[in-house]
Amino acid sequence: MNAAIEKSVSPDGISKMLSIPKPDSFTHLPEIILQVTNLEPKGKSYGFDASDGKMKIKAIFSSRLSSEILSGNIQNLCLIRVLDYTVNEIPSKSEKFLIITKCEVVSPALEKEIKEVVEQEESDMGMPLKKPKLENEVKSENIKEAKGLILKPKQEIVAKSAAQIVHEQHGNMAPAARMAMTRRVHPLVSLNPYQGNWTIKVRVTSKGNMRTYRNARGEGCVFNVELTDGDGTQIQATMFNEAAKKFYDRFELGKVYYISKGTLRVANKQFKTVQNDYEMTLNENSEVEEASDEAACIPETKFKFVPIDQLGPYVNSKDLVDVIGIVQSVSPTTSIRRKSNNETVPKRDIVVADETKKTVVVSLWNELATSVGQELHDIADKSPVVAIKSLKVGDFQGISLSTLGKSIVQVNPVIAESEKLRNWYDSEGKETSMASVGSGLSPSTKSGARSMYSDRVSLSHITSNPSLGEDKPAFFSIRAYISFIKPDQTMWYRACKTCNKKVTDALGGGYWCEGCQKNDAECSLRYIMVVKVSDGSGEGWVSAFNEEAEKIIGCSADELDLLKSQIEENTYQQRLKEATWNPHLLRISVSQNEYNNEKRQRMTVRAVAPVDFAAESRFLLEEISKMKGSQ
């Protein structure tokens, strides 16, 4: 037999796969080697024609194998050994296709496609060439050869629901580990909208709040959960109205369930929260049964932590982040009134820090503020570790974080990152000075924050485009001079030393903080000012808050107030004069505010950094090179 035959496909490999369309872990699979032909991208996955030399079938690699294709390990015309697969049927087209979920490459790309290998081997041995028989023809021929004996056909696997599986298990008192023998549990990666019955075993790793909605068809309610299987694959499941009421209390965060009789559809990218091409819908006929004995088979909630000093690029984006940190302080609960429906919701702010020596404010909303928020408030003096999943990154005070209905908060979680963070804090972190991540975005891209040289524009680009920031704040970087600071403006406000909110004079002396609900003998001053900035293209007015204003003025608001209160007012004027005509790199947000029924453009300083003239020179040289290249 020549070398070409040795590097060959398995005879009747596809027929063998069609006879076992959905193998389970107890099925002994024969060795099946196929050739990949007509490999091409299909969305986030790759489709191909699988060939065994005689037959071909439309096939697709699961998305987890995309990295193997991108790396060049799997190529067109290569040979693969199939280790796990599913054969599905498309009812509308009456044809079958193959999903490869696990394989290994046994030969790199061959020079050409292998065809009729088996027939060629038989011809070399002097045997006649035979046309491959269809599967039903093979079955009928076997019956004829039985010489009068009626052979019982191979029993098909009966599709059973999750409820049936659990019922049979409990009736037979069988251990949970034997459930897969009764009915194959499908991995999430193998599901698609064309499948019929299936059962999945998943853990609820995120559970949203019940929400109400109103549209042209009336009012309704909806909630969703995120499900994770044993392979770590995730999918979002949504329930409406009767299904939402039926399953809301049944689904508990962290528990494992068998689920069947759901439907799949292509995921809406606008509301997509997990990496899956499909999303699941469960109706009132769907079946959900807890699999308490199977909990060890499914991984717990997985975090993908983002260091606090690398939150900059996520500001106002649709991407959610996970954060772990040491709790520095916890505020009392406050009530915030929503503009949309005039309802009041509880809110609590916590400040967390990590090994990057940066802090960030995390706002806990609704039940998280009153439950886990109160727990953190009671143990705040012990500096607990908190891990939070699914946070939205906003631009309040530079960078801030907020929980959503699907957010998960774990206090002192038993994970490696928590232990590492605790060891760092106990050994050196508690003695280290921390800075707010929003107060000093570095002009260096190495910080992970948005670079002062990204989105660089001139002032005229902003002021000449009044529509900027209409839908959401737009961010730009500028290099400008502080050209004027109006001396008689209100430049600061009296703030609570605990939560930095505005305080009022209290009866009997001192200051009353509405946020903390307490009197304090002292308060601090925090900047809230407007300054004029100028560059070579024009000028404009920008708002600056405390941390940014301190870098512009060169001293705190308390120090500047002390200078203003002195008899010689020239000292105060001199300090403001010294702050002008100094160059700064500024990160600016542009938004639209309505005043007296008139929309106005508002520019706010989000970060201030001194000009690094070496970096600035390199930036200008790059800009000059771009200009030369475009000529």
Side-chain angles (χ1 to χ4, degrees):
M1 191 176 293
N2 57 35
I5 298 300
E6 291 176 2
K7 287 187 176 181
S8 189
V9 290
S10 300
D12 299 316
I14 292 176
S15 296
K16 293 174 183 176
M17 298 173 80
L18 293 175
S19 66
I20 313 174
K22 293 178 173 60
D24 55 34
S25 57
F26 298 92
T27 302
H28 179 69
L29 288 177
E31 181 175 77
I32 300 175
I33 298 177
L34 302 177
Q35 185 174 30
V36 176
T37 63
N38 301 321
L39 181 65
E40 60 181 359
K42 297 284 187 182
K44 291 188 176 180
S45 302
Y46 288 83
F48 67 102
D49 292 338
S51 171
D52 65 1
K54 292 195 301 181
M55 296 179 63
K56 280 190 177 183
I57 185 171
K58 292 289 184 183
I60 190 170
F61 287 110
S62 71
S63 56
R64 68 174 65 184
L65 294 173
S66 296
S67 59
E68 294 289 305
I69 300 167
L70 293 173
S71 66
N73 190 27
I74 297 177
Q75 300 175 328
N76 192 43
L77 298 180
C78 76
L79 302 183
I80 59 171
R81 178 180 289 108
V82 179
L83 303 176
D84 194 14
Y85 66 91
T86 301
V87 178
N88 286 334
E89 186 170 347
I90 306 176
S92 60
K93 296 184 178 180
S94 298
E95 65 180 57
K96 298 181 179 180
F97 71 99
L98 173 68
I99 301 175
I100 301 293
T101 54
K102 190 176 181 182
C103 70
E104 63 181 12
V105 177
V106 296
S107 173
L110 304 180
E111 294 182 0
K112 61 181 180 179
E113 182 180 340
I114 300 173
K115 294 182 179 180
E116 299 180 350
V117 174
V118 177
E119 288 83 345
Q120 184 63 44
E121 287 187 66
E122 292 174 345
S123 179
D124 292 341
M125 296 177 183
M127 298 173 64
L129 295 177
K130 294 182 181 181
K131 181 181 178 181
K133 293 184 175 62
L134 297 178
E135 190 176 357
N136 57 355
E137 293 176 351
V138 174
K139 287 183 178 179
S140 62
E141 189 171 307
N142 289 338
I143 294 174
K144 289 179 182 178
E145 292 177 357
K147 296 183 180 179
L149 294 176
I150 300 176
L151 300 180
K152 187 177 180 181
K154 182 179 179 181
Q155 186 176 359
E156 299 292 336
I157 298 175
V158 180
K160 297 182 181 180
S161 69
Q164 289 173 310
I165 297 171
V166 175
H167 177 74
E168 290 179 10
Q169 180 196 35
H170 290 174
N172 298 329
M173 298 300 290
R178 293 179 58 192
M179 186 167 291
M181 296 176 66
T182 312
R183 171 71 167 91
R184 180 183 182 233
V185 173
H186 288 68
L188 284 177
V189 72
S190 71
L191 299 188
N192 64 76
Y194 306 109
Q195 276 180 279
N197 293 328
W198 46 257
T199 298
I200 57 174
K201 182 173 65 179
V202 289
R203 186 187 297 277
V204 177
T205 48
S206 178
K207 179 181 177 182
N209 295 325
M210 182 77 80
R211 309 186 305 276
T212 58
Y213 65 87
R214 178 180 297 174
N215 56 28
R217 291 176 290 180
E219 296 184 352
C221 57
V222 61
F223 89 100
N224 52 46
V225 291
E226 289 179 9
L227 309 172
T228 305
D229 69 1
D231 296 330
T233 307
Q234 292 185 302
I235 195 168
Q236 178 175 287
T238 303
M239 287 137 281
F240 293 92
N241 302 322
E242 294 304 319
K245 296 173 185 176
K246 177 180 178 180
F247 294 120
Y248 184 76
D249 292 329
R250 188 173 303 180
F251 276 125
E252 294 184 38
L253 186 65
K255 289 192 174 182
V256 176
Y257 299 86
Y258 287 100
I259 300 174
S260 64
K261 296 186 179 179
T263 57
L264 274 81
R265 63 179 181 181
V266 176
N268 187 332
K269 293 183 179 180
Q270 184 179 356
F271 304 107
K272 187 175 176 180
T273 59
V274 297
Q275 294 300 316
N276 199 311
D277 294 335
Y278 302 114
E279 60 188 10
M280 184 181 297
T281 301
L282 302 179
N283 57 39
E284 58 269 30
N285 297 319
S286 299
E287 295 182 349
V288 175
E289 294 291 341
E290 185 180 349
S292 56
D293 296 334
E294 295 287 293
C297 303
I298 312 293
E300 297 283 352
T301 300
K302 289 186 177 181
F303 293 91
K304 293 182 179 179
F305 294 118
V306 176
I308 293 177
D309 71 341
Q310 295 180 20
L311 292 172
Y314 296 92
V315 170
N316 292 321
S317 74
K318 293 182 180 179
D319 295 329
L320 303 180
V321 301
D322 304 341
V323 167
I324 187 170
I326 297 286
V327 176
Q328 301 283 281
S329 63
V330 182
S331 77
T333 303
T334 59
S335 295
I336 305 296
R337 190 176 298 276
R338 284 177 175 162
K339 293 181 181 179
S340 57
N341 54 16
N342 212 31
E343 290 183 358
T344 57
V345 293
K347 175 194 175 189
R348 189 192 299 264
D349 289 339
I350 65 173
V351 177
V352 300
D354 67 4
E355 292 175 271
T356 64
K357 301 177 184 178
K358 295 290 184 181
T359 64
V360 67
V361 176
V362 182
S363 296
L364 306 178
W365 293 89
N366 297 303
E367 185 181 350
L368 290 176
T370 55
S371 57
V372 71
Q374 184 61 46
E375 178 186 351
L376 290 171
H377 186 272
D378 295 340
I379 60 172
D381 58 328
K382 298 179 182 178
S383 302
V385 175
V386 63
I388 311 178
K389 185 173 184 62
S390 301
L391 288 165
K392 183 174 178 58
V393 186
D395 59 6
F396 181 70
Q397 294 183 349
I399 296 176
S400 60
L401 300 172
S402 292
T403 60
L404 305 172
K406 57 180 287 183
S407 300
I408 300 172
V409 180
Q410 294 185 2
V411 180
N412 292 321
V414 185
I415 55 178
E417 293 89 346
S418 177
E419 183 179 354
K420 180 182 177 184
L421 190 61
R422 168 58 62 193
N423 292 336
W424 166 80
Y425 186 76
D426 291 341
S427 61
E428 58 174 296
K430 63 174 63 178
E431 307 297 333
T432 304
S433 61
M434 307 285 184
S436 171
V437 66
S439 64
L441 299 185
S442 168
S444 169
T445 56
K446 293 180 181 179
S447 69
R450 184 72 71 174
S451 169
M452 288 293 188
Y453 295 100
S454 63
D455 313 313
R456 172 70 76 87
V457 298
S458 62
L459 266 173
S460 63
H461 173 81
I462 301 174
T463 56
S464 62
N465 288 278
S467 62
L468 285 175
E470 276 186 343
D471 298 328
K472 62 178 182 179
F475 288 80
F476 301 98
S477 298
I478 61 173
R479 177 194 172 187
Y481 291 86
I482 308 299
S483 54
F484 180 63
I485 304 173
K486 195 175 180 181
D488 56 350
Q489 66 174 305
T490 302
M491 299 181 66
W492 50 72
Y493 69 96
R494 293 182 298 182
C496 171
K497 287 192 170 184
T498 302
C499 68
N500 294 331
K501 292 186 177 179
K502 186 177 180 180
V503 296
T504 56
D505 292 324
L507 295 174
Y511 304 94
W512 169 256
C513 175
E514 187 68 26
C516 297
Q517 292 287 302
K518 67 175 183 179
N519 281 331
D520 204 326
E522 297 180 346
C523 68
S524 61
L525 300 181
R526 290 179 65 85
Y527 283 116
I528 178 171
M529 57 188 291
V530 177
V531 299
K532 182 186 283 187
V533 294
S534 304
D535 67 4
S537 68
E539 59 186 15
W541 291 90
V542 299
S543 300
F545 295 101
N546 193 60
E547 286 79 6
E548 293 73 33
E550 282 186 356
K551 294 185 177 183
I552 292 173
I553 301 299
C555 65
S556 67
D558 289 302
E559 292 175 279
L560 192 61
D561 179 57
L562 185 62
L563 294 177
K564 190 175 183 179
S565 64
Q566 291 179 0
I567 300 176
E568 295 182 4
E569 190 175 339
N570 289 340
T571 310
Y572 168 72
Q573 297 280 4
Q574 183 64 29
R575 174 55 64 92
L576 296 184
K577 186 176 180 180
E578 291 173 356
T580 58
W581 298 113
N582 291 322
H584 296 279
L585 296 177
L586 306 174
R587 187 73 179 164
I588 302 288
S589 70
V590 183
S591 58
Q592 296 286 335
N593 282 10
E594 193 168 312
Y595 182 75
N596 288 337
N597 295 324
E598 180 184 351
K599 283 190 175 181
R600 295 185 177 181
Q601 190 181 71
R602 181 180 182 183
M603 294 187 289
T604 305
V605 180
R606 299 300 181 184
V608 181
V611 177
D612 182 336
F613 290 101
E616 186 71 15
S617 298
R618 287 193 294 270
F619 170 76
L620 293 175
L621 287 171
E622 289 178 8
E623 292 297 300
I624 293 171
S625 299
K626 291 178 184 178
M627 292 171 64
K628 288 181 177 180
S630 62
Q631 290 179 353

